Amino acid sequence: MAGFRSLSAGLRALQPAAFGADPGGERMARIRRSPHFKDGVFQNPGGVARTRPSGSMPAFAKVYFDKDARPRRAPSGTVPVHATTLADLSRPPATGLRLTWMGHSSVLAEIDGRRVLFDPVWGERCSPLPFLGPRRLHPAPLPLAALGPVDVVVISHDHYDHLDMPTIKELAGTDTVFAVPLGVGAHLEHWGVSADRLRELDWHEATEVGGITLTATPARHFCGRRLRNTQHTLWASWVVAGDEHRIYHSGDTGYFDGFRDIGAEHGPFDATMIQIGAYSEFWPDIHMTPEEGSRAHLDLQGGPSGGPMLPIHWGTFNLAPHAWAEPGEWTKDAAAQAGHPVALPRPGEPFEPAGDLPARPWWRDVSLPLDREWPVAKATPTASPGDLDLVGED
C-alpha cells in the first residue's frame, strides 16, 4: 500500500500547479450542505445543462478546422487596444460609476468610491501549460501592477479564461479581498491567497466589503480545471451594489429564466456585463449568443429602460468556431433591434454608463467580412465543449 501511496503522491507532484486544489475538510462539508449540491455534484438551474459532447465530435472538428472559416476566427490586423494610463483611472468618475473592459471577461468597475476587478486574466494563454492553449489576440491594455489598488477581485468560476493562476499569484501579494463561488477558494489558497482574504459564497449569499455588497447569483454553466471534472466548485454571476449604483456581471452562462428573477430581486442595474462570445450550436446550454445576451439584459432590467449592456467574453481568445468579429457585430444588431443601449469600447477604453457610450464598431478595421448575417436560423443542439477545457474552453 505504501508503494501505491508513493506513486499517487508522485503523480500529483507532476500535475501543473495551475490545476489548483480540490476542496476538502470544512470547505467540502459546506459544499455538501449547499441546496444546489445533489448526487455529488453542483446542479444547474433549469435542469441539466449538457457539459459533455452529446453528438459527433468529428462534426465539430469539421466545422472548427474548416480552412475557409479559420482565417475569420482571428483579427486580420492589430487590435486597436486603448493604452489605459494612470491618468485614465486616477480621476474619479464624474457619475460615480466607470467601467473599463480589459478584454474577454476582465472588467475594472469603479463604483461609489470602490474598485472591483472581475475575472482578471492577464496571462498569455488560457491553459494550465505555458506552451499550449489559446493565446491572447491582443495585449492587456496595461500591466497588472499599473492598475493601482483594487478593493475586491471577483471570480465567476474556475475555468482558465476566468481564473488565471499567474494573475492571482500577482494579486496575492496585495491586500485585496477575493469574492469567489463556493469551492473556488481552494485554488486561491493553493496559490498563496490567505483564507482571511476570501469571501466564498453560495448562490444568493452576500458579503460586504468597504461599503459595497457583493451577491453571488445563479448561472447556467459548469466548472473544472482538470481532465476529470468533479463539479465540486460552483459557478456564479454577480451583483455588486454600492450606495448609489448597482451592476451585474454574468460570468459564463447559457440563457435561462432565472435572469428575470435576478432582475426582480436586485435590479434594475446601472450597467450589465453580459457574456456574448464563444457560443456555438455545439454547446447551446452553457454560453449565450448575442441575441440571447440581449434578451438576458432586458430580463435583468425589466425592459429597454435602464443602464447599458457591456458585451464581454469575446475578442481576446479564440474559443469557438464563429468569426472573431461576429459577437461584436451581432451584439450591435441585437441591441438595435431590442432598443436597449449597448457600450462597445475598445479593450482598455474607460467609459461611464451614464455618459456618452462608445459606439463605433472598431473591430471592422481589423477583421475579414463575416461569412453569415445576423440573425441566423437557430441550430439544432448537438454537443458541448466539455472535453476542450484544457485547450481553452471556459
Side-chain angles (χ1 to χ4, degrees), residues 207-221:
T207 188
E208 184 177 317
V209 179
I212 61 171
T213 301
L214 304 103
T215 306
T217 46
R220 188 166 167 78
H221 199 57

Side-chain angles (χ1 to χ4, degrees), residues 162-207:
H162 297 259
L163 180 61
D164 178 55
M165 182 188 72
T167 303
I168 297 299
K169 282 192 165 186
E170 188 169 347
L171 289 166
T174 71
D175 59 0
T176 188
V177 172
F178 293 82
V180 303
L182 197 55
V184 174
H187 299 311
L188 274 63
E189 284 195 59
H190 187 65
W191 299 330
V193 177
S194 59
D196 63 342
R197 289 164 53 202
L198 289 172
R199 306 290 187 270
E200 203 163 342
L201 306 182
D202 201 347
W203 291 340
H204 309 298
E205 292 182 342
T207 188

Side-chain angles (χ1 to χ4, degrees), residues 59-380:
F60 170 76
K62 182 179 179 181
V63 171
Y64 195 83
F65 294 105
D66 181 85
K67 63 181 179 65
D68 295 323
R70 287 185 70 183
R72 291 186 173 87
R73 293 208 299 273
S76 58
T78 302
V79 175
V81 174
H82 177 84
T84 312
T85 66
L86 183 60
D88 289 321
L89 302 176
S90 61
R91 183 183 68 256
T95 61
L97 176 63
R98 180 166 60 209
L99 302 180
T100 306
W101 178 51
M102 298 295 179
H104 203 56
S105 295
S106 303
V107 181
L108 174 67
E110 298 166 274
I111 174 171
D112 296 342
R114 299 296 177 185
R115 306 176 93 227
V116 181
L117 184 59
F118 293 94
D119 283 356
V121 175
W122 260 251
E124 185 65 19
R125 293 183 186 270
C126 50
S127 166
L129 303 171
F131 54 84
L132 180 70
R135 297 184 76 166
R136 300 184 69 94
L137 300 174
H138 65 79
L142 82 169
L144 187 60
L147 194 61
V150 173
D151 295 290
V152 190
V153 170
V154 175
I155 303 297
S156 64
H157 63 297
D158 68 0
H159 286 154
Y160 288 94
D161 56 325
H162 297 259
L163 180 61
D164 178 55
M165 182 188 72
T167 303
I168 297 299
K169 282 192 165 186
E170 188 169 347
L171 289 166
T174 71
D175 59 0
T176 188
V177 172
F178 293 82
V180 303
L182 197 55
V184 174
H187 299 311
L188 274 63
E189 284 195 59
H190 187 65
W191 299 330
V193 177
S194 59
D196 63 342
R197 289 164 53 202
L198 289 172
R199 306 290 187 270
E200 203 163 342
L201 306 182
D202 201 347
W203 291 340
H204 309 298
E205 292 182 342
T207 188
E208 184 177 317
V209 179
I212 61 171
T213 301
L214 304 103
T215 306
T217 46
R220 188 166 167 78
H221 199 57
F222 68 115
C223 64
R225 297 178 71 83
R226 305 186 184 204
L227 291 171
R228 182 174 175 267
N229 179 12
T230 59
Q231 293 287 80
H232 286 171
T233 60
L234 188 58
W235 49 97
S237 57
W238 288 87
V239 171
V240 176
D243 290 337
E244 302 293 335
H245 297 90
R246 56 185 58 230
I247 55 178
Y248 172 85
H249 188 285
S250 71
D252 277 2
T253 181
Y255 180 81
F256 70 115
D257 291 342
F259 290 118
R260 288 191 289 271
D261 297 330
I262 295 170
E265 184 172 355
H266 299 283
F269 298 98
D270 296 284
T272 67
M273 296 157 273
I274 304 289
Q275 172 262 307
I276 51 82
Y279 49 84
S280 173
E281 62 269 23
F282 289 95
W283 46 85
D285 292 352
I286 55 173
H287 281 174
M288 291 190 291
T289 66
E291 186 277 330
E292 289 172 324
S294 177
R295 195 190 324 162
H297 171 81
L298 292 177
D299 287 351
L300 290 159
Q301 299 287 36
S305 61
M309 166 184 161
L310 169 63
I312 60 172
H313 201 265
W314 76 287
T316 304
F317 298 107
N318 177 2
L319 301 177
H322 61 64
W324 171 77
E326 189 177 276
E329 198 68 53
W330 282 11
T331 297
K332 191 176 189 301
D333 292 342
Q337 185 178 72
H340 68 75
V342 62
L344 301 168
R346 295 168 293 162
E349 180 180 2
F351 72 95
E352 300 194 27
D356 294 332
L357 300 180
R360 182 179 178 273
W362 51 267
W363 55 87
R364 293 178 185 172
D365 297 340
V366 290
S367 64
L368 297 174
L370 298 185
D371 55 351
R372 54 183 185 171
E373 296 181 355
W374 184 89
V376 295
K378 186 174 182 180
T380 301

